[in-house]
Short mmCIF file of all heavy atoms in Angstrom, two decimals:
data_model
loop_
_atom_site.label_atom_id
_atom_site.label_comp_id
_atom_site.label_asym_id
_atom_site.label_seq_id
_atom_site.Cartn_x
_atom_site.Cartn_y
_atom_site.Cartn_z
N THR A 1 75.04 142.20 125.37
CA THR A 1 73.90 141.43 124.87
C THR A 1 72.82 142.36 124.33
O THR A 1 72.24 142.10 123.27
CB THR A 1 73.33 140.54 125.98
OG1 THR A 1 74.34 139.64 126.42
CG2 THR A 1 72.13 139.73 125.48
N GLU A 2 72.54 143.43 125.05
CA GLU A 2 71.53 144.38 124.59
C GLU A 2 71.98 145.05 123.28
O GLU A 2 71.15 145.32 122.41
CB GLU A 2 71.27 145.42 125.68
CG GLU A 2 70.53 144.82 126.88
CD GLU A 2 70.38 145.78 128.03
OE1 GLU A 2 71.19 146.73 128.12
OE2 GLU A 2 69.46 145.58 128.85
N ARG A 3 73.28 145.30 123.13
CA ARG A 3 73.78 145.86 121.88
C ARG A 3 73.54 144.89 120.73
O ARG A 3 73.10 145.29 119.65
CB ARG A 3 75.28 146.17 122.01
CG ARG A 3 75.86 146.90 120.80
CD ARG A 3 77.37 146.87 120.81
NE ARG A 3 77.88 145.53 120.56
CZ ARG A 3 77.92 144.96 119.37
NH1 ARG A 3 77.44 145.59 118.29
NH2 ARG A 3 78.42 143.74 119.23
N GLN A 4 73.82 143.62 120.96
CA GLN A 4 73.63 142.63 119.90
C GLN A 4 72.15 142.42 119.59
O GLN A 4 71.78 142.19 118.43
CB GLN A 4 74.31 141.32 120.29
CG GLN A 4 75.82 141.40 120.32
CD GLN A 4 76.48 140.05 120.43
OE1 GLN A 4 75.88 139.01 120.16
NE2 GLN A 4 77.75 140.04 120.82
N THR A 5 71.32 142.50 120.60
CA THR A 5 69.88 142.38 120.37
C THR A 5 69.37 143.54 119.52
O THR A 5 68.57 143.34 118.59
CB THR A 5 69.12 142.33 121.71
OG1 THR A 5 69.56 141.21 122.46
CG2 THR A 5 67.62 142.21 121.49
N ALA A 6 69.85 144.74 119.83
CA ALA A 6 69.48 145.90 119.03
C ALA A 6 69.98 145.75 117.60
O ALA A 6 69.29 146.14 116.63
CB ALA A 6 70.04 147.17 119.66
N ALA A 7 71.15 145.16 117.44
CA ALA A 7 71.70 144.95 116.10
C ALA A 7 70.83 143.98 115.30
O ALA A 7 70.68 144.15 114.08
CB ALA A 7 73.12 144.43 116.20
N SER A 8 70.26 142.99 115.97
CA SER A 8 69.38 142.06 115.28
C SER A 8 68.17 142.79 114.69
O SER A 8 67.80 142.58 113.54
CB SER A 8 68.90 140.96 116.25
OG SER A 8 69.97 140.17 116.70
N ARG A 9 67.58 143.66 115.49
CA ARG A 9 66.44 144.42 115.00
C ARG A 9 66.86 145.41 113.90
O ARG A 9 66.11 145.62 112.93
CB ARG A 9 65.76 145.15 116.15
CG ARG A 9 65.06 144.21 117.13
CD ARG A 9 64.26 144.95 118.18
NE ARG A 9 63.60 144.03 119.09
CZ ARG A 9 62.41 143.48 118.90
NH1 ARG A 9 61.73 143.79 117.79
NH2 ARG A 9 61.87 142.66 119.77
N ALA A 10 68.05 145.97 114.05
CA ALA A 10 68.54 146.91 113.03
C ALA A 10 68.75 146.22 111.68
O ALA A 10 68.65 146.86 110.63
CB ALA A 10 69.83 147.56 113.50
N LYS A 11 69.02 144.91 111.72
CA LYS A 11 69.18 144.15 110.48
C LYS A 11 67.84 143.80 109.85
O LYS A 11 67.80 143.21 108.77
CB LYS A 11 69.95 142.86 110.77
CG LYS A 11 71.42 143.08 111.06
CD LYS A 11 72.10 141.76 111.40
CE LYS A 11 73.55 141.95 111.75
NZ LYS A 11 74.21 140.69 112.17
N GLY A 12 66.75 144.13 110.53
CA GLY A 12 65.43 143.88 109.98
C GLY A 12 64.75 142.64 110.52
O GLY A 12 63.66 142.28 110.06
N VAL A 13 65.36 141.98 111.51
CA VAL A 13 64.71 140.81 112.11
C VAL A 13 63.56 141.31 112.99
O VAL A 13 63.76 142.08 113.92
CB VAL A 13 65.70 139.98 112.95
CG1 VAL A 13 64.99 138.82 113.62
CG2 VAL A 13 66.84 139.48 112.07
N ARG A 14 62.36 140.86 112.70
CA ARG A 14 61.18 141.29 113.43
C ARG A 14 60.44 140.14 114.10
O ARG A 14 59.60 140.37 114.97
CB ARG A 14 60.22 142.04 112.49
CG ARG A 14 60.76 143.37 111.98
CD ARG A 14 60.85 144.39 113.11
NE ARG A 14 61.42 145.65 112.67
CZ ARG A 14 62.70 145.98 112.71
NH1 ARG A 14 63.57 145.10 113.18
NH2 ARG A 14 63.13 147.15 112.30
N SER A 15 60.73 138.94 113.68
CA SER A 15 60.06 137.78 114.28
C SER A 15 61.06 136.64 114.35
O SER A 15 62.04 136.59 113.59
CB SER A 15 58.84 137.37 113.47
OG SER A 15 59.23 136.95 112.16
N VAL A 16 60.81 135.75 115.28
CA VAL A 16 61.70 134.60 115.45
C VAL A 16 60.88 133.32 115.51
O VAL A 16 59.71 133.35 115.91
CB VAL A 16 62.56 134.77 116.74
CG1 VAL A 16 63.64 135.79 116.51
CG2 VAL A 16 61.73 135.14 117.96
N PRO A 17 61.45 132.21 115.06
CA PRO A 17 62.84 132.09 114.61
C PRO A 17 63.03 132.63 113.20
O PRO A 17 62.13 132.54 112.35
CB PRO A 17 63.08 130.58 114.63
CG PRO A 17 61.73 129.99 114.30
CD PRO A 17 60.74 130.90 115.00
N THR A 18 64.19 133.18 112.95
CA THR A 18 64.63 133.52 111.61
C THR A 18 65.93 132.77 111.36
O THR A 18 66.87 132.86 112.15
CB THR A 18 64.86 135.04 111.45
OG1 THR A 18 63.60 135.72 111.51
CG2 THR A 18 65.51 135.35 110.10
N PHE A 19 65.96 132.00 110.29
CA PHE A 19 67.15 131.25 109.90
C PHE A 19 67.85 131.99 108.77
O PHE A 19 67.20 132.44 107.82
CB PHE A 19 66.78 129.86 109.38
CG PHE A 19 66.01 129.00 110.34
CD1 PHE A 19 64.63 129.07 110.42
CD2 PHE A 19 66.68 128.10 111.17
CE1 PHE A 19 63.92 128.26 111.30
CE2 PHE A 19 65.97 127.29 112.05
CZ PHE A 19 64.59 127.37 112.11
N VAL A 20 69.15 132.09 108.86
CA VAL A 20 69.96 132.56 107.74
C VAL A 20 70.85 131.40 107.37
O VAL A 20 71.79 131.05 108.09
CB VAL A 20 70.78 133.82 108.09
CG1 VAL A 20 71.59 134.26 106.87
CG2 VAL A 20 69.86 134.95 108.55
N ILE A 21 70.54 130.77 106.25
CA ILE A 21 71.19 129.54 105.82
C ILE A 21 71.97 129.81 104.55
O ILE A 21 71.39 130.11 103.51
CB ILE A 21 70.16 128.42 105.61
CG1 ILE A 21 69.37 128.17 106.89
CG2 ILE A 21 70.86 127.14 105.14
CD1 ILE A 21 68.24 127.16 106.74
N GLY A 22 73.28 129.76 104.67
CA GLY A 22 74.11 130.07 103.51
C GLY A 22 73.88 131.48 103.00
O GLY A 22 73.98 131.74 101.80
N GLY A 23 73.54 132.39 103.91
CA GLY A 23 73.33 133.79 103.54
C GLY A 23 71.91 134.15 103.17
O GLY A 23 71.59 135.33 103.00
N ALA A 24 71.03 133.17 103.03
CA ALA A 24 69.63 133.43 102.67
C ALA A 24 68.75 133.29 103.90
O ALA A 24 68.83 132.30 104.63
CB ALA A 24 69.18 132.46 101.58
N ALA A 25 67.88 134.28 104.13
CA ALA A 25 67.04 134.31 105.32
C ALA A 25 65.68 133.69 105.04
O ALA A 25 65.08 133.94 103.99
CB ALA A 25 66.87 135.74 105.82
N ILE A 26 65.21 132.88 106.00
CA ILE A 26 63.83 132.42 105.97
C ILE A 26 63.25 132.59 107.36
O ILE A 26 63.92 132.35 108.36
CB ILE A 26 63.68 130.95 105.50
CG1 ILE A 26 64.38 129.98 106.46
CG2 ILE A 26 64.19 130.78 104.09
CD1 ILE A 26 64.07 128.53 106.17
N GLY A 27 61.99 133.03 107.42
CA GLY A 27 61.32 133.18 108.69
C GLY A 27 60.54 131.92 109.01
O GLY A 27 59.87 131.36 108.15
N GLY A 28 60.62 131.49 110.28
CA GLY A 28 59.91 130.27 110.65
C GLY A 28 60.45 129.11 109.86
O GLY A 28 61.65 128.84 109.85
N GLY A 29 59.59 128.44 109.13
CA GLY A 29 60.07 127.38 108.25
C GLY A 29 59.58 126.01 108.64
O GLY A 29 59.77 125.57 109.77
N SER A 30 58.92 125.35 107.70
CA SER A 30 58.55 123.95 107.87
C SER A 30 59.81 123.10 107.69
O SER A 30 60.87 123.60 107.28
CB SER A 30 57.50 123.54 106.85
OG SER A 30 58.06 123.58 105.54
N GLU A 31 59.70 121.81 107.97
CA GLU A 31 60.85 120.93 107.73
C GLU A 31 61.26 120.97 106.27
O GLU A 31 62.46 121.03 105.95
CB GLU A 31 60.50 119.50 108.15
CG GLU A 31 60.35 119.32 109.65
CD GLU A 31 59.95 117.90 110.02
OE1 GLU A 31 60.40 116.95 109.34
OE2 GLU A 31 59.16 117.74 110.97
N ASP A 32 60.29 120.95 105.36
CA ASP A 32 60.62 120.97 103.94
C ASP A 32 61.29 122.28 103.54
O ASP A 32 62.22 122.29 102.72
CB ASP A 32 59.36 120.76 103.10
CG ASP A 32 58.86 119.32 103.15
OD1 ASP A 32 59.64 118.44 103.55
OD2 ASP A 32 57.68 119.09 102.79
N GLU A 33 60.82 123.40 104.10
CA GLU A 33 61.41 124.69 103.76
C GLU A 33 62.85 124.79 104.28
O GLU A 33 63.73 125.31 103.59
CB GLU A 33 60.56 125.82 104.33
CG GLU A 33 59.24 126.01 103.60
CD GLU A 33 58.27 126.93 104.33
OE1 GLU A 33 58.37 127.05 105.56
OE2 GLU A 33 57.42 127.52 103.64
N ILE A 34 63.08 124.29 105.48
CA ILE A 34 64.43 124.30 106.03
C ILE A 34 65.34 123.40 105.18
O ILE A 34 66.46 123.78 104.83
CB ILE A 34 64.42 123.84 107.50
CG1 ILE A 34 63.71 124.88 108.37
CG2 ILE A 34 65.85 123.62 108.00
CD1 ILE A 34 63.43 124.41 109.80
N ALA A 35 64.84 122.23 104.83
CA ALA A 35 65.63 121.31 104.01
C ALA A 35 65.94 121.92 102.65
O ALA A 35 67.07 121.78 102.14
CB ALA A 35 64.88 119.99 103.84
N ALA A 36 64.96 122.59 102.05
CA ALA A 36 65.19 123.20 100.74
C ALA A 36 66.24 124.30 100.83
O ALA A 36 67.09 124.45 99.93
CB ALA A 36 63.88 123.76 100.19
N ALA A 37 66.21 125.08 101.91
CA ALA A 37 67.19 126.15 102.08
C ALA A 37 68.59 125.58 102.25
O ALA A 37 69.57 126.12 101.73
CB ALA A 37 66.81 127.01 103.26
N ILE A 38 68.70 124.48 102.99
CA ILE A 38 70.01 123.84 103.18
C ILE A 38 70.51 123.27 101.85
O ILE A 38 71.68 123.44 101.48
CB ILE A 38 69.92 122.74 104.25
CG1 ILE A 38 69.65 123.35 105.61
CG2 ILE A 38 71.21 121.90 104.27
CD1 ILE A 38 69.37 122.33 106.71
N ALA A 39 69.63 122.61 101.10
CA ALA A 39 70.02 122.05 99.82
C ALA A 39 70.48 123.14 98.86
O ALA A 39 71.48 122.99 98.14
CB ALA A 39 68.85 121.26 99.22
N GLN A 40 69.77 124.27 98.85
CA GLN A 40 70.14 125.38 97.98
C GLN A 40 71.50 125.95 98.38
O GLN A 40 72.33 126.28 97.51
CB GLN A 40 69.06 126.48 98.07
CG GLN A 40 69.36 127.72 97.24
CD GLN A 40 69.38 127.44 95.75
OE1 GLN A 40 68.63 126.59 95.25
NE2 GLN A 40 70.26 128.13 95.02
#
């Protein structure tokens, strides 16, 4: 688990929640932003 946590930071994740939807990352996200990312 600690290895995977370190890997998250190594990928550049610095704050949570971070969503990666269809390969595109968004930090946080309102309902509209999440919906737009899913639609895209």
Side-chain angles (χ1 to χ4, degrees):
T1 300
E2 290 174 336
R3 186 194 69 77
Q4 291 192 19
T5 300
S8 296
R9 291 187 179 273
K11 288 177 182 176
V13 177
R14 293 291 178 269
S15 64
V16 285
T18 292
F19 302 87
V20 180
I21 302 175
I26 63 170
S30 66
E31 291 177 36
D32 287 343
E33 288 168 334
I34 293 170
I38 293 172
Q40 178 64 34

